[in-house]
Amino acid sequence: MSDNPFAPQGGQMNANVNLANQTGGADNSVIKDTTTADFSKDVLVESKKQPVIVDFWATWCNPCKQLGPVLEKVVRQAKGAVKLVKLDIDKHPAIPGQMGIRSVPAVIAFVDGHPVDGFMGAVPESEVKKFVAKLTGNEKEAAIDEALETANELRKSGDVTGAATFYAQVLKQAPDNVTVIAAFADMLVEHNEIDQAKGILKAVPDAKKSDPAIRAVEAKIALKEETAKLGDPTALKKRIAENPKDYQAAYDLALVYNAENKRDDAADLLLGIMKADRAWNDDGARKQLLQFFEAWGAMDPATLTARRKLSSLLFS
C-alpha cells in the first residue's frame, strides 16, 4: 500500500480484519473490543508486554466478516503470545482518521507502543499465520505449516513428485513431525510404494507411535500387503455365487474391494459374514471391519455408515 503511514517504521502493509460483535465467544484474555478512550491503554501500553494486533473493521464490510473469524482463530492459537484488539471505525472514527486508515479491513501490529507491520484486505489463513508468526518469532513453525499445506495441495492435484519434494523438505526441518510423516507415508501407500512408506514411518519417535494418523497408515499398509496375496476377484465372486457359505471368499473379496476403494461394499461383505456366522474364523469378520475403520478414519462416511450397521447387528 503506497500510502501506508507506517512504512518508515517497519513493515509491509498487507491486509486483515476482524468483525467484533459478529464472531461471538471471544476469549477476553487475548481478544477484546476497544474505544477511542481506551485505545492508548489497550494498545499502546499493552504492546509493551507483547505484540498487539489492531483490527479496524466495520459492520457493513463483508471482507471484515470473512477475515474476522480467521484472525481470531490464529490469535487464539498463539496462546497469549499476541493479543487482538478490535476497533469499529464507524463508532470510533478518530483513531483510524489520525492513522490514515481509509479502507477496511485493515490490520496493524503494535510493539513497544509503535506500529511495526500491517496489511489490508481479507487475506487467506496461511497469510494471517505468517503475519502472527513474524510477530511472535515462530516463523519456522509457520514456514513448516505453509510447506505442508503446499504439499497437501500438490497431492490432491495428483502431483506426487512435487508433493514428495515438499514433504521431504519439511521433514528436514522437523524430522519428528508426525503429521508430515503420516501424510507422506500415506501418499506413498496410495501409490503402492510400500517399502518407501515403511522407511518414512521409521522416523516416528517411540512416544508418538500410537498417534491415530500413524496407526491409520500402518493399517493401510497391512491391508495392502494382505490384499496382494488374494488373487483374482472374479474367481472370488464365482466361489461366492456357487457357495454363499464360502465365507473365506467373501472375506477375501472384502479386502479386494477395500483396495479398490469400494469401502461400502467391503464393509457390507464383512457384515454379511457376521450376520450369517458370527463365530466364523474366531470373529474374524468383525475384527477385519474394525481394522478397516482404523485405516479409513473415524469420520470417513464409510466408517460412519458401517458402524451404524454394526451396532444394529450387534445390539438389535
Side-chain angles (χ1 to χ4, degrees), residues 2-33:
S2 59
D3 59 346
N4 174 11
F6 308 110
Q9 296 188 43
Q12 168 186 0
M13 265 298 200
N14 301 335
N16 212 356
V17 168
N18 237 339
L19 184 69
N21 297 325
Q22 298 213 6
T23 53
D27 181 350
N28 291 330
S29 66
V30 293
I31 301 171
K32 69 178 299 184
D33 297 300

Side-chain angles (χ1 to χ4, degrees), residues 17 19 61-71 122:
V17 168
L19 184 69
C61 169
N62 286 328
C64 297
K65 298 174 184 178
Q66 298 170 12
L67 180 64
V70 174
L71 187 56

Side-chain angles (χ1 to χ4, degrees), residues 250 253-254 257-258 260-271 292 296 302 309:
L253 186 58
Y257 279 157
N258 175 67
E260 295 175 346
N261 207 31
K262 299 176 181 177
R263 295 179 174 179
D264 291 327
D265 292 337
D268 285 344
L269 279 170
L270 295 176
L271 289 164
F292 280 165
W296 298 342
K309 293 179 179 179

